[in-house]
Amino acid sequence: MEEFVGGLWDKLITRTAYRGFPKERVELKEMERIAPIFFRALGGDAGLSIRAGTATTQGARRSWLERIAGIGDKVELAWADEATLYLPLSIDVFPERALNRELYLWLIALAAHDVAPHASWIVRNQQATLATLQALPGLAVRYRKLVDAEIARRPDPAGMELATAAAENTIRAALREPGSIDTFILGREQPAPVPLWLHPEPPTAGGEPRKAGQGEPQQPEGSKVQKDAEARKRRAQSVDVPENKSPFMLLFRAESLFSWAEYVKVDRALDEDDNEDAARAANDLDFLSVANDGKTTSSRIRFDLDLPAEADDDLVLADGIPLPEWDFRKQQMQPAHCSLQMLVARDAEPCDLPQALRGTAKRLRNQFQALAPQRSRLRAQASGSDLDMDACVRYAAEKASGVPVGEPGLYIDSRNQSRDMSCLLLADLSLSTDAWINNSARVIDVIRDSLLLFGEALSATGDRFALYGFSSVRRQNVRYHLLKGFDERYNGTIRGRLAALKPGFYTRMGAAIRHSAAILSKQKSARRLLLILTDGKPNDLDKYEGRYGVEDTRVAIQEARRLGLTPFCVTIDEQAGDYLPHLFGASGYVVVRDAAMLPEVLPRLYVQLTEAQ
């Protein structure tokens, strides 16, 4: 009963003290479709993804009710780093839902015009505001409404100490007349946060970088299918594990009893273990301290991810193929930065199509036979095997009537009408494909079935096609698997290689695309399609992650287009909308929401792509 009454009191005091308007709240998930498009349309960095940020300590004076309820000490503001634009998870600061939504759009526009990122906080936001209003004058009326609503909710400077009131008036002047304030003098207290502006001190990772050789454990790429329940950006710092050489002595002073939870060594058997209390505690921390004691499960997994012994590995067809890589931080190409190995399955036995796929394969072959080259009779040709009687009669009539005629086409010629099409399908075989779909099948199994049906369908068209897969372990080991070459017939041997597919390592996509483009560009077909099948973002153990990997992949795709190829991506990654438009363009990719449908979607997609070209 005591806990029940305490819970009711907590809800009551929290609801009473809260300054926001929960009923008018707008969630970031409601803006997730329009936000990336709006940001890029306004000239924002196309390589930035959009995520929810984390609440940070704001330092301004709280009301006595807020102090009693234990709320109001943190605020969610917008900021950006080199890879991501972070927006509040939700906005309910204004009493009108329309204004809260307008605030989201304003913050996106402001981030797209952050023209003075190294200036002081107040000057930077004024310059960004001026640049936004100059580029988008239609936002001026909306901005004024937001400013009026913001000033109405801000604390009244009349009741403040003189220096604090002066600081508050300075902020109000900067909001009303952007560009009018050059300096800001902080009063005795921190001013109330300004939700219309970018974060004054964006969260960054603290701590010193880990020294070389310390063996930082790496999560296998399969963990990328795990989702942060709140999709938040958290601040973290790297620390050393405290050593307690005297196990019978406390690691803290007795008078600091209430702060003992700042460091707790937790032994969790699995990363997937749910702990609601831990998640709630994490939300209350300004920094998450991360330490490496060398005894984690990840370290053992990393050992399992080492390259297999040569006797157990696939056969090497070509070793040490040098490939360049784009460094977006230096904005330069690094020649011969990666090393690629061409591999083929060692013990793949020829086999037939699995029984479960035969019905679908038969239906696809019947449908795709309509695309096969067929012999057709062309009339009114200059030469041919038969006379075109209609053309002869028409020519004789026109000549007798005195109508001038040019070179007559009086023959019928029979020719094969070829589609003149070449397609290379590149499949992501990284460790993430070992994940399960609805506890019924693994991603790698779905990819295998897709490649089998794709091969069965295209073998009925007569189109030239090749199948390859890839994974990687750092830049020195880009593993490129031959499944079917352009000069090979689709038969039991190819099915055996596909049946032997297994999850690999990581996803150095740029190198794999460059080598695929080099292979496909040698085909003399009029139309050449580079089809990429993946389940996630470019990623590898070294610096090939985040923006670095995305930008290298983007440059590789641009190189493929300059070779006259048509790159197109098929993905089952639900977050693909954050980065694939930047890589392939708005119409250069498709997201398959139900991964289990991929085997049937892929052949149909091929028909649409080749007919549209």
Side-chain angles (χ1 to χ4, degrees):
M1 179 57 111
E2 182 179 350
E3 292 182 0
F4 176 73
V5 174
L8 291 179
W9 169 252
D10 180 67
K11 291 180 180 178
L12 175 62
I13 195 66
T14 300
R15 185 165 54 247
T16 304
Y18 188 60
R19 295 187 184 183
F21 301 89
K23 293 183 179 180
E24 308 301 326
R25 178 177 297 152
V26 177
E27 303 281 349
L28 180 58
K29 63 183 179 182
E30 300 176 41
M31 309 292 294
E32 63 182 359
R33 290 187 180 275
I34 188 177
I37 300 172
F38 189 61
F39 180 67
R40 290 159 188 150
L42 298 184
D45 189 341
L48 295 186
S49 59
I50 295 181
R51 291 280 187 275
T54 184
T56 54
T57 302
Q58 50 98 358
R61 171 176 289 190
R62 295 182 291 163
S63 69
W64 66 272
L65 271 178
E66 287 179 315
R67 292 196 296 270
I68 292 175
I71 64 173
D73 58 329
K74 293 188 177 184
V75 63
E76 293 192 37
L77 300 173
W79 81 93
D81 57 24
E82 67 177 17
T84 308
L85 169 60
Y86 297 101
L87 296 174
L89 186 64
S90 63
I91 294 179
D92 60 1
V93 297
F94 298 130
E96 298 178 24
R97 179 178 173 83
L99 279 177
N100 290 322
R101 187 177 186 277
E102 289 290 343
L103 180 52
Y104 262 126
L105 298 177
W106 171 254
L107 290 174
I108 294 170
L110 195 68
H113 296 86
D114 188 12
V115 294
H118 302 297
S120 64
W121 163 66
I122 197 164
V123 172
R124 173 189 182 185
N125 280 288
Q126 289 180 91
Q127 293 300 319
T129 301
L130 287 174
T132 302
L133 296 177
Q134 183 177 2
L136 307 165
L139 289 181
V141 175
R142 298 179 176 183
Y143 174 70
R144 292 300 171 190
K145 289 182 179 179
L146 289 172
V147 169
D148 292 342
E150 169 60 14
I151 290 177
R153 64 176 288 276
R154 294 188 66 80
D156 187 357
M160 299 179 181
E161 182 263 344
L162 189 60
T164 305
E168 174 61 27
N169 285 325
T170 300
I171 292 176
R172 291 175 177 233
L175 284 168
R176 290 193 179 101
E177 297 295 334
S180 61
I181 303 299
D182 295 328
T183 58
F184 177 75
I185 300 176
L186 183 64
R188 185 174 299 177
E189 298 178 356
Q190 287 284 346
V194 186
L196 272 66
W197 287 351
L198 300 177
H199 204 300
E201 297 179 359
T204 56
E208 296 296 326
R210 189 175 298 273
K211 297 179 182 178
Q214 282 189 334
E216 180 180 0
Q218 293 282 348
Q219 287 290 343
E221 191 177 354
S223 65
K224 73 184 179 185
V225 299
Q226 301 170 5
K227 300 176 182 177
D228 185 348
E230 295 181 351
R232 288 177 179 265
K233 165 73 173 180
R234 303 191 186 277
R235 295 194 291 176
Q237 58 184 354
S238 177
V239 299
D240 295 327
V241 178
E243 294 185 9
N244 186 10
K245 297 181 179 180
S246 301
F248 294 102
M249 295 183 65
L250 297 177
L251 285 173
F252 55 89
R253 294 178 300 173
E255 60 267 28
S256 302
L257 182 62
F258 290 102
S259 65
W260 72 276
E262 290 178 2
Y263 171 77
V264 179
K265 185 173 181 179
V266 182
D267 182 13
R268 296 177 64 190
L270 295 172
D271 287 344
E272 290 81 2
D273 289 348
D274 293 327
N275 188 332
E276 294 182 0
D277 294 333
R280 196 178 303 115
N283 290 335
D284 293 333
L285 294 176
D286 291 333
F287 283 92
L288 301 181
S289 297
V290 181
N292 175 24
D293 63 1
K295 301 177 182 179
T296 63
T297 304
S298 300
S299 298
R300 293 193 292 273
I301 293 177
R302 186 181 179 220
F303 175 81
D304 292 337
L305 292 182
D306 286 344
L307 290 170
E310 183 177 353
D312 300 324
D313 202 1
D314 293 334
L315 291 173
V316 178
L317 300 180
D319 192 12
I321 301 174
L323 292 167
E325 186 168 279
W326 175 256
D327 188 332
F328 96 99
R329 295 186 180 93
K330 298 179 180 178
Q331 289 294 297
Q332 67 181 24
M333 188 67 74
Q334 305 170 94
H337 189 71
C338 300
S339 179
L340 181 141
Q341 293 79 42
M342 180 78 77
L343 305 169
V344 67
R346 180 182 295 271
D347 300 320
E349 297 290 338
C351 64
D352 295 327
L353 189 68
Q355 184 68 37
L357 300 179
R358 291 181 182 177
T360 303
K362 182 178 180 181
R363 175 168 51 81
L364 288 173
R365 280 195 297 267
N366 292 336
Q367 295 173 353
F368 273 62
Q369 281 176 353
L371 302 177
Q374 297 184 10
R375 197 166 184 82
S376 59
R377 290 166 59 85
L378 304 178
R379 295 182 175 274
Q381 301 297 304
S383 62
S385 57
D386 296 311
L387 283 173
D388 185 346
M389 298 306 298
D390 291 339
C392 290
V393 171
R394 185 166 54 252
Y395 172 71
E398 291 174 349
K399 186 176 181 181
S401 64
V403 177
V405 293
E407 284 291 329
L410 305 178
Y411 298 91
I412 294 177
D413 192 16
S414 297
R415 300 177 188 172
N416 284 329
Q417 298 298 303
S418 176
R419 282 160 48 88
D420 199 15
M421 181 77 198
S422 293
C423 174
L424 187 150
L425 191 152
L426 178 64
D428 176 1
L429 303 180
S430 57
L431 189 65
S432 59
T433 60
D434 199 29
W436 286 81
I437 304 170
N438 300 326
N439 295 322
S440 59
R442 297 182 304 165
V443 174
I444 189 65
D445 299 327
V446 173
I447 291 177
R448 181 186 299 113
D449 291 349
S450 301
L451 295 179
L452 285 167
L453 291 178
F454 189 78
E456 296 290 333
L458 264 67
S459 62
T461 67
D463 290 350
R464 295 176 57 78
F465 72 99
L467 306 174
Y468 292 90
F470 77 99
S471 66
S472 63
V473 184
R474 297 187 175 88
R475 64 186 179 91
Q476 298 90 351
N477 296 285
V478 180
R479 299 165 61 83
Y480 196 80
H481 298 264
L482 170 63
L483 305 175
K484 179 194 176 298
F486 279 110
D487 56 348
E488 295 180 293
R489 294 189 60 184
Y490 183 80
N491 52 27
T493 301
I494 306 302
R495 296 189 194 98
R497 293 177 191 170
L498 295 175
L501 285 179
K502 55 184 179 293
F505 300 91
Y506 299 87
T507 316
R508 207 173 200 96
M509 194 177 292
I513 290 176
R514 286 187 176 92
H515 193 64
S516 300
I519 294 174
L520 183 57
S521 64
K522 295 178 182 178
Q523 300 301 309
K524 303 303 181 183
S525 302
R527 295 179 293 177
R528 294 170 293 182
L529 175 65
L530 176 57
L531 199 55
I532 301 162
L533 178 58
T534 182
D535 71 330
K537 247 182 168 179
N539 173 268
D540 207 337
L541 279 172
D542 50 20
K543 62 182 178 180
Y544 201 87
E545 60 181 359
R547 187 73 181 275
Y548 184 99
V550 167
E551 292 298 333
D552 174 62
T553 303
R554 182 170 181 261
V555 171
I557 293 166
Q558 292 172 344
E559 294 170 358
R561 289 198 174 105
R562 285 195 290 269
L563 292 173
L565 313 181
T566 303
F568 192 91
C569 182
V570 182
T571 183
I572 57 176
D573 182 11
E574 295 180 359
Q575 304 298 324
D578 293 338
Y579 59 92
L580 282 189
H582 181 55
L583 295 181
F584 293 90
S587 58
Y589 73 97
V590 66
V591 179
V592 180
R593 301 294 178 184
D594 185 359
M597 296 299 296
L598 184 62
E600 293 197 37
V601 169
L602 189 60
R604 292 202 302 267
L605 179 64
Y606 175 81
V607 174
Q608 297 173 10
L609 290 173
T610 55
E611 286 182 344
Q613 292 189 30

